[in-house]
Amino acid sequence: MKFVGLKKIVDIIKNIDNVYIVGHIMPDGDCISSVLCLAEGLKSMGKKVQGFIDWEIPENLKKLPLVNGIKKFKEGIIKPENLIVVDCSSPDRIGRFQKFIRDDVNVIVLDHHATNVYFGNINYVDANASSVAEIVYEINKMMNIKYDEKLATLNLLGILTDTGFFKYSNTTPLILHIAAELMKMGADIQKISFVINENRKVGNLYLQREAINNLKFLSRGKLGYSYLTKKDFEKYKIAENDFDGFVSEIRAVDTVEVAMFAAQYEDKKAHVSLRSKRYFDVSKIALEYGGGGHSKASGFTLIYEKSLEDALEGIAKKIGNLL
Ligand code: AMP
Ligand code: MN
Ligand code: MN
């Protein structure tokens, strides 16, 4: 287990001939952006590269260039010599690709989560980076990778989604500068915004109505939480993967400091998203439940016994007592 700087990472990656690049389950824009931009950069240097994610890609993101080239996990897949894991704080985040985290595979971790557990042989973790897409931009720049419009657009995607289109606290002068550089290279910000913000299935809106029905507040409105069940997703024919944003809606309420939203995706299993507004570190709560993330945006998998509502109430009371 080694922690290295950016220059060293670039030296190491330059000397690799073939590699699998793997992103996390329940992929977001940053994860998809990072897998593809690193893969394209290394491919252009003549290396054998394949990008993988052990999960369905959200439908809207499939509309962006090259996204359909990301492969899923397949039984019998050949063991790689090198594995680069992006945007993952712990090995369970890569789903079944975890089986390649072993002594005879060179595992390189590129991440920006403060909760990273350094599970690679080589780890580059910058908790001050807005996104892994920002780190990949720096790596590609140091490797003199030539950007076309497609690559620039894909690189900007991860930056935009992880900064909430430049509204979260991880928005820095540097990331605005990088975004400007990407736009100069042809990044299509309008296309990304259209795909992410103007492309909602109407069922998604109806699901928000259900989520509003389930919405509860505790601690004088400082905590807001809600959930949707697998049945809800089935009713409106929206995959759990294609529904997001509701946790941000809860955080946006004026009294709220912490927002929690749970989406059930399997029997007795839900993905829980946590957000905070000013001071509360939600990553501590996520870590307690076996997840991770950032101080203002974290998540974990909740396995519960009876009802999701009851399980959430227990967690909400715990958080509420801390507020
Ligand atoms: P989400 O609520 O899914 O948008 O995730 C918010 C943040 O928490 C992201 O930075 C994720 O990488 C992280 N995160 C979400 N779920 C998990 C999990 N099960 N384990 C570790 N980190 C997670
Ligand atoms: Mn991510
Ligand atoms: Mn990220």
Side-chain angles (χ1 to χ4, degrees):
M1 190 180 74
K2 220 161 79 179
F3 184 79
V4 296
L6 199 60
K7 202 174 165 298
K8 183 80 187 156
I9 275 285
V10 170
D11 284 344
I12 291 164
I13 293 176
K14 264 188 187 166
N15 286 312
I16 281 173
D17 290 325
N18 54 73
V19 61
Y20 286 2
I21 304 176
V22 184
H24 60 76
I25 56 171
M26 299 181 186
D28 52 23
D30 186 31
C31 155
I32 288 165
S33 163
S34 302
V35 167
L36 285 172
C37 294
L38 203 54
E40 286 307 300
L42 293 177
K43 257 184 223 164
S44 74
M45 293 170 84
K47 300 180 190 300
K48 237 181 133 224
V49 194
Q50 179 60 56
F52 291 98
I53 292 176
D54 186 19
W55 204 271
E56 229 3 271
I57 304 284
E59 280 303 318
N60 57 350
L61 296 180
K62 286 184 188 164
K63 296 195 167 86
L64 291 170
L66 308 174
V67 173
N68 288 310
I70 298 175
K71 292 218 161 63
K72 288 219 184 84
F73 180 87
K74 249 204 276 186
E75 290 304 335
I77 187 170
I78 301 161
K79 174 181 74 86
E81 261 176 64
N82 302 289
L83 183 74
I84 301 181
V85 181
V86 295
D87 203 28
C88 296
S89 53
S90 52
D92 54 298
R93 297 286 287 151
I94 57 174
R96 287 171 289 177
F97 287 101
Q98 254 184 106
K99 73 172 195 177
F100 295 134
I101 300 194
R102 44 192 257 190
D103 288 347
D104 57 345
V105 176
N106 183 31
V107 180
I108 301 169
V109 171
L110 297 181
D111 191 29
H112 70 129
H113 293 94
T115 56
N116 194 287
V117 297
Y118 305 115
F119 57 97
N121 313 64
I122 297 153
N123 304 276
Y124 180 78
V125 180
D126 180 1
N128 292 318
S130 65
S131 50
V132 177
E134 176 178 340
I135 298 170
V136 170
Y137 172 87
E138 299 288 2
I139 291 174
N140 280 350
K141 196 171 148 189
M142 286 168 87
M143 296 198 301
N144 294 315
I145 303 299
K146 202 176 166 313
Y147 271 61
D148 61 6
E149 288 85 357
K150 275 185 196 167
L151 189 52
T153 301
L154 282 171
N155 207 155
L156 187 59
L157 164 72
I159 292 167
L160 289 176
T161 51
D162 263 27
T163 61
F165 287 74
F166 305 126
K167 65 178 181 282
Y168 301 152
S169 57
N170 58 354
T171 305
T172 58
L174 173 64
I175 201 60
L176 290 170
H177 173 76
I178 291 173
E181 291 297 310
L182 288 168
M183 281 188 77
K184 279 190 227 158
M185 294 189 287
D188 190 345
I189 194 166
Q190 285 281 214
K191 178 160 188 173
I192 302 167
S193 179
F194 177 83
V195 158
I196 307 272
N197 302 318
E198 315 280 350
N199 195 26
R200 177 188 273 168
K201 295 262 179 296
V202 68
N204 224 301
L205 212 52
Y206 294 143
L207 274 171
Q208 294 222 7
R209 180 173 60 197
E210 304 288 343
I212 291 169
N213 282 339
N214 295 336
L215 185 59
K216 284 195 178 129
F217 292 97
L218 277 183
S219 302
R220 301 173 313 286
K222 282 190 183 176
L223 171 69
Y225 70 100
S226 182
Y227 65 92
L228 288 171
T229 62
K230 203 164 177 289
K231 264 198 183 143
D232 296 320
F233 291 111
E234 282 161 6
K235 181 172 171 192
Y236 296 105
K237 297 187 174 60
I238 301 282
E240 185 273 333
N241 213 27
D242 293 321
F243 180 80
D244 68 9
F246 200 70
V247 73
S248 320
E249 298 295 326
I250 304 173
R251 176 169 63 180
V253 173
D254 58 355
T255 57
V256 167
E257 169 59 24
V258 176
M260 175 165 72
F261 180 77
Q264 183 199 1
Y265 63 99
E266 272 175 32
D267 189 34
K268 307 284 181 205
K269 214 171 175 182
H271 175 69
V272 180
S273 291
L274 290 168
R275 299 289 184 273
S276 65
K277 197 182 275 172
R278 293 187 186 90
Y279 58 87
F280 194 89
D281 184 354
V282 285
S283 72
K284 287 193 181 139
I285 306 286
L287 274 174
E288 238 182 85
Y289 289 92
H294 312 281
S295 63
K296 292 193 169 78
S298 291
F300 64 92
T301 302
L302 173 67
I303 297 168
Y304 54 94
E305 274 170 24
K306 288 182 199 136
S307 79
L308 178 56
E309 195 178 357
D310 290 350
L312 277 185
E313 194 183 315
I315 301 167
K317 279 188 178 152
K318 244 171 96 170
I319 300 173
N321 285 335
L322 298 169
L323 282 166

